[in-house]
Amino acid sequence: MTGKSETYRNMKTNKKYEMNGKTAVNGNTAGKRRSGIRIMGQLIGLVKPLFHVMTAAVILGVAGYLCAIFLTVFAGMALLNVLGIDRSIPLITLFVILAAAAVLRGILHYGEQACNHYIAFKLLALIRHKVFAALRRLCPAKLDGRDKGNLISIITSDIELLEVFYAHTISPIAIAVIVCVITEAVFFRYHWMTGVFALAGYLAVGLIIPLWNSSRGADKGMEFRTEFGDLNSFILDSLRGLDETIQYGQGKLRSAQIDERSRRLDAKQKYMKELEGAQRGMTNVLILLFSFGMLFLSTWLVMKGQMEFEGGFLCTILMMGSFGPVTALSSLSNNLMQTLASGERVLSIMEEEPVVDETEGEEAGAFGDISCGNLDFAYDDEQILKDYSIEIPEGSRIGIHGKSGSGKSTLLKLIMRFYDPDQGSIRIHGRDLKKINTDELRNMESYVTQETCLFHDSIANNIVVAKPGASRQEIEEAAKKASLHEFIMSLPNGYDTPVGELGDTLSGGERQRIGIARAFLHDAPLMLLDEPTSNLDSLNEGIVLKSLRESCRDKTMIIVSHRESTMAAAQKVYEMNNERVS
């Protein structure tokens, strides 16, 4: 074992466990990235429960675009009727059709957008549920020391960007294809050359330009989303460390670093905006070229006697008015670079494999002696435990003493089954931890970590997380055992006093005692205490240790600390060094 800190070791853990051959949990690429088509396919697969709503959106969208397109066509037919060139349809009928098409266009477009946004918001809620479930599976090993700002970016802005995909991408693709097939049938009805020419225009505007533009900006989209998450992390760290920044006069440096990161982010966004502008300009030029091209082609066909005048006139009008669906498709590539990057980051979290698979379906058993046999464990290439063995009888209070970085905290994490050992086994009452249902194992154990995480809530609600539904009397009893009750009662609102964000209104010792109160409230037969008094003064340390001895007579307790005074609560103390437990 080495003398490096546990914090550093947690960072090393990320290197060992963060990758899944695709993308790291924090959004950085690892290995081969997914193609845009594959990302879209996987995102579309999530629509399956709402397929009927998507079908309705496509039908309404197709009908709406046909109303808009043929509004101009029927207007042209009305003009031909007035000029006496084509009176196959009565003028009054054409006016009725025009009025109906104009009204229906608005109604159908509203219906399409309503369906699309219903799908989008339903699926965003579903995706958030899946992402949080994935994070729950990945905890704690793969999120230990993780870049929280990047995770926040994925959970918030990346998922929000998927709204563009579900509300404005899937149905427009289907609508564009269907509408183009229908308009192509009309073109081919008049002449095969007009059909082929129109098809070339649709493919150029709706497929070739978007693919070309996306290929140029795909990597930039991922870089932008990743750097956006990094900036979130940096600002979050800056806010948390504001006191230290002011104390050591680092404000100007920190501000300069934020400015530099913002400039880099702005440069990437500017590049994507330039791509968007170039794509939009190219699209408009092609629409004009193909519109005038259809005019010249139709004129030539009429002059050659291969098409009637009214056919050439209507084909030209139809060509000019039918680019709506493919233009909508073309404009998707403007936001699609970031959307696909966000989709890849979100999908990577949902697909990431946990370090330890939860166990369920095993037969329940009793708590008993703990046996750690010949354990080997390493973070990446750093060996922490080698052929490590220890026996902990039921009902005993065992102290494990050693310098920082000797592997004490790692042993507790293995007993909690946050990780599995590389070699050897850990057994409780003869059962391997891997054969104990995860819920059952968690109910057996109360774990007090070195740093107590507090939620932005009241003191009572921060303690009750250890036993949801516990009464106020139970909460107070747990606080008394943690030498916390008198301090709480001195506060203006007592147990209803808010602790502030991350518990920043409390001292380190007060936060630590809330963690100990949680352990008492959980009332498990095994208590794992990792440096439980490191933030306490001598007086409060003595009170807490006395309470541990008196309140946990019938429990198994493992106390880990580098402080000799903390070992006073233990019946037997083991010294942890680089090679063995003695």
Side-chain angles (χ1 to χ4, degrees):
M1 300 178 216
T2 70
K4 298 179 182 177
S5 69
E6 287 296 324
T7 302
Y8 175 74
R9 221 168 256 129
N10 289 339
M11 295 170 64
K12 297 278 284 183
T13 307
N14 296 334
K15 295 182 181 179
K16 180 177 181 182
Y17 296 120
E18 72 182 352
M19 305 302 180
N20 190 27
K22 302 180 186 72
T23 305
V25 175
N26 64 6
N28 297 324
T29 55
K32 187 176 180 180
R33 282 184 52 198
R34 281 173 258 244
S35 66
I37 298 297
R38 184 182 171 196
I39 294 172
M40 291 176 65
Q42 289 182 272
L43 292 176
I44 290 172
L46 297 175
V47 183
K48 189 175 181 181
L50 298 170
F51 182 75
H52 59 292
V53 184
M54 179 61 70
T55 302
V58 172
I59 292 172
L60 292 171
V62 169
Y65 268 114
L66 290 178
C67 285
I69 292 169
F70 285 96
L71 192 65
T72 58
V73 173
F74 282 111
M77 294 177 69
L79 180 61
L80 291 174
N81 187 296
V82 171
L83 295 174
I85 297 174
D86 182 4
R87 293 181 174 174
S88 57
I89 301 178
L91 188 60
I92 187 65
T93 303
L94 290 172
F95 284 151
V96 171
I97 292 174
L98 288 172
V103 173
L104 283 174
R105 168 57 179 160
I107 296 173
L108 293 169
H109 182 68
Y110 176 83
E112 176 208 348
Q113 292 300 307
C115 289
N116 282 333
H117 283 88
Y118 175 83
I119 292 169
F121 295 129
K122 282 287 186 180
L123 285 178
L124 292 190
L126 174 64
I127 290 172
R128 285 194 182 94
H129 175 76
K130 288 180 176 290
V131 168
F132 279 111
L135 292 176
R136 163 70 178 79
R137 291 195 310 271
L138 296 175
C139 281
K142 285 201 174 179
L143 302 185
D144 202 4
R146 186 66 63 190
D147 184 350
K148 300 301 187 294
N150 232 313
L151 283 175
I152 291 171
S153 176
I154 293 173
I155 294 168
T156 54
S157 61
D158 280 342
I159 292 179
E160 283 297 324
L161 264 178
L162 294 184
E163 186 268 341
V164 175
F165 178 79
Y166 288 114
H168 306 290
T169 303
I170 301 179
S171 64
I173 293 174
I175 290 168
V177 172
I178 296 172
V179 171
C180 286
V181 169
I182 294 172
T183 54
E184 277 297 307
V186 176
F187 281 119
F188 275 103
R189 176 180 176 274
Y190 285 103
H191 199 281
W192 67 269
M193 291 182 67
T194 59
V196 172
F197 187 79
L199 179 61
Y202 296 152
L203 291 176
V205 173
L207 185 64
I208 296 173
I209 293 296
L211 289 177
W212 170 72
N213 197 51
S214 295
S215 66
R216 292 196 302 159
D219 290 337
K220 290 295 181 182
M222 176 59 78
E223 290 174 13
F224 178 83
R225 297 311 308 167
T226 301
E227 191 145 342
F228 181 76
D230 292 341
L231 179 60
N232 280 351
S233 294
F234 192 80
I235 292 175
L236 186 62
D237 285 343
S238 298
L239 291 174
R240 287 176 177 172
L242 197 57
D243 291 346
E244 288 77 7
T245 300
I246 294 172
Q247 177 183 351
Y248 296 108
Q250 297 296 307
K252 291 184 178 179
L253 175 61
R254 201 74 180 180
S255 178
Q257 291 173 328
I258 292 175
D259 288 342
E260 175 59 28
R261 288 170 178 264
S262 297
R263 281 194 292 270
R264 290 204 306 265
L265 190 66
D266 183 65
K268 287 181 171 59
Q269 189 170 32
K270 181 180 178 182
Y271 176 78
M272 289 189 291
K273 289 294 183 183
E274 290 173 352
L275 290 181
E276 178 182 341
Q279 181 265 341
R280 188 167 293 165
M282 184 75 71
T283 297
N284 292 334
V285 168
L286 284 178
I287 289 174
L288 287 174
L289 289 176
F290 277 100
S291 295
F292 281 109
M294 181 61 76
L295 174 62
F296 295 141
L297 176 61
S298 299
T299 302
W300 182 77
L301 289 173
V302 170
M303 292 175 62
K304 288 290 186 179
Q306 297 184 28
M307 183 185 289
E308 297 296 329
F309 173 80
E310 60 269 22
F313 179 70
L314 294 178
C315 281
T316 301
I317 293 176
L318 181 60
M319 189 68 187
M320 291 180 176
S322 63
F323 275 106
V326 290
T327 302
L329 194 61
S330 177
S331 64
L332 293 177
S333 64
N334 298 334
N335 294 317
L336 208 55
M337 292 177 287
Q338 288 193 57
T339 302
L340 292 181
S342 296
E344 181 166 9
R345 284 154 58 91
V346 171
L347 289 170
S348 295
I349 283 187
M350 291 166 59
E351 295 173 356
E352 191 76 16
E353 295 295 329
V355 173
V356 175
D357 291 320
E358 294 193 355
T359 302
E360 56 184 13
E362 297 288 340
E363 185 177 347
F367 179 76
D369 298 343
I370 302 172
S371 173
C372 302
N374 307 112
L375 299 180
D376 284 1
F377 185 78
Y379 293 123
D380 197 24
D381 56 352
E382 183 186 10
Q383 191 74 38
I384 306 301
L385 300 175
K386 182 67 176 177
D387 198 25
Y388 181 97
S389 298
I390 187 172
E391 299 291 331
I392 302 170
E394 182 180 5
S396 62
R397 296 195 304 275
I398 301 298
I400 299 180
H401 180 262
K403 64 183 180 180
S404 297
S406 60
K408 306 183 302 297
S409 297
T410 297
L411 175 62
L412 298 190
K413 291 177 181 179
L414 291 174
I415 294 174
M416 284 292 296
R417 204 174 172 236
F418 290 168
Y419 307 96
D420 283 330
D422 299 329
Q423 297 290 334
S425 65
I426 301 175
R427 297 178 179 275
I428 295 180
H429 200 57
R431 292 189 298 161
D432 193 299
L433 290 192
K434 297 177 182 179
K435 299 296 183 181
I436 300 177
N437 295 323
T438 302
D439 288 342
E440 181 187 356
L441 181 64
R442 296 290 181 264
N443 289 331
M444 289 181 181
E445 301 169 327
S446 293
Y447 182 33
V448 178
T449 60
Q450 295 184 33
E451 297 293 333
T452 300
C453 178
L454 298 184
F455 301 98
H456 196 174
D457 207 334
S458 67
I459 292 176
N461 287 340
N462 267 284
I463 296 175
V464 83
V465 296
K467 185 181 178 182
S471 66
R472 179 57 62 93
Q473 182 180 355
E474 290 177 297
I475 295 172
E476 291 180 4
E477 286 299 320
K480 289 176 182 177
K481 293 177 181 178
S483 185
L484 190 63
H485 179 71
E486 291 183 5
F487 161 74
I488 295 174
M489 296 309 296
S490 70
L491 299 173
N493 297 315
Y495 281 84
D496 296 318
T497 303
V499 301
E501 188 174 9
L502 300 177
D504 57 5
T505 62
L506 303 178
S507 69
E510 289 157 359
R511 290 197 296 269
Q512 194 165 38
R513 279 180 284 169
I514 288 179
I516 296 171
R518 286 173 176 170
F520 280 123
L521 182 62
H522 188 56
D523 197 28
L526 171 62
M527 293 191 72
L528 304 172
L529 308 172
D530 190 358
E531 301 284 0
T533 61
S534 58
N535 292 315
L536 303 181
D537 56 34
S538 299
L539 176 61
N540 280 306
E541 180 185 34
I543 294 173
V544 169
L545 293 179
K546 181 174 182 292
S547 181
L548 287 172
R549 287 193 298 267
E550 294 176 352
S551 302
C552 302
R553 297 182 187 279
D554 59 341
K555 300 181 186 298
T556 303
M557 186 187 306
I558 304 175
I559 307 174
V560 158
S561 181
H562 68 283
R563 296 169 65 172
E564 292 186 2
S565 57
T566 306
M567 296 294 100
Q571 297 169 328
K572 188 174 184 180
V573 178
Y574 292 88
E575 188 71 28
M576 180 172 280
N577 55 35
N578 288 345
E579 296 179 358
R580 62 187 178 88
V581 173
S582 59

